[in-house]
Amino acid sequence: MTNTTTIPTLAGDGEFTAYRATPAGTPKAAIVVIQEIFGVNAGIRRKCDTLAEAGYLAIAPDLFWRLEPGIELDPDIKPEFDRALELMGQFDQDKGIADIEAAVRAVRSELGDGTKVGVVGYCLGGRLAFMTAARTDVDASVGYYGVGIDGLLGEKNAIAHPVLLHVPEEDHFVDKDAQAAMHAGLDDHPKVTIYDYAGEDHGFATEFGERRSDASAKLADERTAKFFAEHLG
């Protein structure tokens, strides 16, 4: 079953919506799905639906609600891609983390304090997943593509729960130096695992569109499913 839920901010300055996908039986855990720069579009909703089919309560908060509530963009349409870049530039990431934390608290409260909650994010959402791991008590975090994580390594010592990162080696948004910095800073971290994907570019695990690379997307998603089964089950 799918629907939309409303979540109040932690600061009490508003509320935002989240796409919600509910499993057929009692949820075994909850996962907050963090959007790309394209909003909670069809691809992000499909990610939620797939997690619900695996037994998780999955929600995807609209993190651009302060800028343009409900926006959905297609990365394969240039004007929409350009608009997504504009929104990313305007987006307050610290407030975004607070909204993600509000979503984590909401599902944890709904399912009971003993229920574990994970996050998974893509593109901008992958960066936010890493930040969420460092700044909140979320139980497990997965980030796809590694955008800007090399600039967040100063926060790594705050990570107390497992983190999984999927990094395409030919990502035109994350150059080789940034990838090397991520490995140098995180390979020895006891809570962080990084998988590299040779020959893959940014967005390889998207659900739809020109960026998807089926074989690597399936491999990354299988690794994510195993990771959540281990740390949220």
Side-chain angles (χ1 to χ4, degrees), residues 24-226:
T26 301
K28 56 188 177 184
I31 297 175
V32 176
V33 179
I34 311 173
Q35 66 182 63
E36 295 183 285
I37 62 176
F38 309 107
V40 183
N41 60 10
I44 293 298
R45 294 195 297 272
R46 173 70 70 84
K47 299 286 190 187
C48 290
D49 294 344
T50 299
L51 289 168
E53 291 168 2
Y56 300 99
L57 169 62
I59 67 169
D62 177 11
L63 297 182
F64 284 167
W65 68 276
R66 293 180 177 88
L67 302 171
E68 191 168 339
I71 190 168
E72 297 183 35
L73 298 169
D74 185 335
D76 294 333
I77 299 174
K78 189 176 187 310
E80 295 191 18
F81 183 85
D82 292 343
R83 177 57 179 150
L85 292 177
E86 291 175 357
L87 289 168
M88 181 175 67
Q90 298 166 7
F91 177 62
D92 186 320
Q93 295 185 27
D94 291 329
K95 288 184 178 179
I97 294 298
D99 290 341
I100 293 167
E101 185 174 8
V104 169
R105 291 190 188 184
V107 292
R108 184 175 281 152
S109 176
E110 175 184 346
L111 299 182
D113 289 340
T115 301
K116 291 186 176 182
V117 181
V119 299
V120 56
Y122 305 83
C123 181
L124 168 64
R127 174 183 172 86
L128 295 176
F130 185 89
M131 294 169 70
T132 300
R135 300 183 187 184
T136 78
D137 63 350
V138 72
D139 295 292
S141 304
V142 178
Y144 283 71
Y145 319 137
V147 177
I149 290 178
D150 59 303
L152 297 170
L153 296 175
E155 300 191 38
K156 69 180 183 180
N157 291 336
I159 295 174
H161 298 285
V163 174
L164 173 62
L165 300 175
H166 301 290
V167 179
E169 292 185 356
E170 304 306 321
D171 193 328
H172 62 286
F173 290 118
V174 185
D175 63 25
K176 297 294 186 181
D177 289 342
Q179 293 177 40
M182 288 171 60
H183 278 287
L186 296 172
D187 280 349
D188 291 334
H189 196 296
K191 296 295 184 180
V192 179
T193 300
I194 301 175
Y195 287 114
D196 299 305
Y197 296 83
E200 299 297 354
D201 198 353
H202 190 86
F204 75 90
T206 189
E207 291 293 316
F208 307 111
E210 298 173 357
R211 300 177 298 158
R212 182 174 173 84
S213 178
D214 278 339
S216 292
K218 290 176 181 177
L219 175 60
D221 290 344
E222 287 171 358
R223 287 168 167 168
T224 295
K226 182 178 179 181

Side-chain angles (χ1 to χ4, degrees), residues 11-26:
D13 58 348
E15 59 183 24
F16 55 94
T17 62
Y19 179 78
R20 175 187 177 101
T22 306
T26 301

